[in-house]
Amino acid sequence: PAPPQALPTMKTLAIYALEVLACSGVLLAAYAILLERRVKFRWCRLYLLATTAVAALIPLLRIPVWPGRIIVATPGDWTAEVLPDAEAHAITPGHLCLGLYLAGAALILGIMLWQVFRIRRLRRGAEVTRTGKYKIVRTRQEIASFSFFRTIYIWTATPAAEMGAILAHESSHIAHRHSLERIVMETMKAALWWNPFVWIAARRLTEAEEFEADSDVLTSGYDRAEYMQTIFKQLFGYSPEIANGLRNSLTKKRFKMMTTQTKSRHSLLRLAGTLPALIGLLCAFS
């Protein structure tokens, strides 16, 4: 059996994990009901990033509501148990859980770093063009166009007729700093990899970023039918998940979003509507 001192720690961690799951689920449900595709994409992105972190912090807060009784203990009231050295250094369930957690976090971070390495490797033998706002890397490897921070990666065989829409889309990602948001979200995924709601929030963040870039392209005057055809042609080729690209499994949702009239009405009221959920969670777990 595990040493007695390991049991409270395991119980505390289990309670914390359950409270984080509850906070994440409630805040994500509030997003789906009140905000998703109903307010500006900027607010959607900020909400998803903020609440992902807040859900992990709320159970750690301890907000005193009323003063507690002060109990003075005398040394005679204390009891202590001295464990043998063998038991003090034994591997406990807490150690195993910590090792599993660190292994999962390291795996997620390792995947992210591997993707960054593959992106950097695309520059080998590629033609690099510098503009005022971003760089364009024309690589010989067959890829789906994407951007990462202030660099746009394009396959050299991409037709010139599609370049305008591609650059408009990727420059929107760059202007809104979507790559930085992806890095932050991936880091939180690594820290909270055991929480399925974090993975859902990351997916929703990707959707909001792609919808926002599509909206910027269409607002700038590009023909909707031609732009949708460009997106369809970009479905094939390498494009890392950590980057912002024209192709991904969200294509059907993006097509539907582009052909549906959506208006951001009462954005502030909808944002305010999420406050009761946040206050309720603070009262419940803090």
Side-chain angles (χ1 to χ4, degrees), residues 215-235:
S215 177
D216 289 346
V217 173
L218 296 178
T219 302
S220 64
Y222 281 89
D223 180 74
R224 179 182 287 105
E226 293 182 1
Y227 180 60
M228 292 171 67
Q229 185 177 10
T230 298
I231 292 178
F232 185 77
K233 292 179 180 178
Q234 289 289 316
L235 285 173

Side-chain angles (χ1 to χ4, degrees), residues 13-90:
L13 291 176
I15 293 175
Y16 171 74
L18 291 175
E19 290 180 350
V20 171
L21 288 172
C23 292
S24 299
V26 170
L27 293 174
L28 196 59
Y31 171 78
I33 295 171
L34 296 173
L35 305 182
E36 189 173 22
R37 307 188 194 184
R38 296 175 178 86
V39 300
K40 292 182 178 180
F41 298 117
R42 178 178 68 256
W43 293 116
C44 292
R45 290 159 36 220
L46 292 176
Y47 179 91
L48 289 168
L49 288 168
T51 53
T52 300
V54 166
L57 294 177
I58 287 179
L60 298 177
L61 299 177
R62 289 297 176 262
I63 304 175
V65 180
W66 59 82
R69 295 178 57 192
I70 299 176
I71 301 176
V72 179
T74 62
D77 297 331
W78 298 346
T79 58
E81 178 183 359
V82 179
L83 296 175
D85 291 341
E87 291 187 12
H89 297 284

Side-chain angles (χ1 to χ4, degrees), residues 75-194:
D77 297 331
W78 298 346
T79 58
E81 178 183 359
V82 179
L83 296 175
D85 291 341
E87 291 187 12
H89 297 284
I91 297 178
T92 66
H95 294 146
L96 295 177
C97 289
L98 178 61
L100 178 62
Y101 168 78
L102 293 177
L107 177 62
I108 303 300
L109 287 175
I111 292 174
M112 181 179 68
L113 293 176
W114 172 247
Q115 292 186 59
V116 173
F117 172 75
R118 290 194 65 184
I119 292 173
R120 297 288 298 180
R121 196 168 58 178
L122 289 174
R123 297 194 179 197
R124 296 180 182 177
E127 176 187 349
V128 180
T129 304
R130 300 178 183 273
T131 66
K133 298 181 180 180
Y134 49 80
K135 292 185 292 186
I136 303 175
V137 176
R138 292 180 172 85
T139 177
R140 297 178 182 177
Q141 181 176 337
E142 184 177 357
I143 63 171
S145 302
F146 65 88
S147 61
F148 189 63
F149 285 96
R150 304 187 67 84
T151 304
I152 300 175
Y153 295 82
I154 300 176
W155 185 28
T156 53
T158 301
E162 301 174 6
M163 288 293 294
I166 292 174
L167 294 179
H169 181 96
E170 302 305 337
S171 62
S172 175
H173 283 306
I174 293 173
H176 294 297
R177 297 178 175 86
H178 289 168
S179 293
L180 178 60
E181 294 176 356
R182 292 283 184 91
I183 293 293
V184 172
M185 182 59 81
E186 287 296 316
T187 303
M188 288 192 290
K189 277 173 59 178
L192 302 168
W193 59 267
W194 45 269

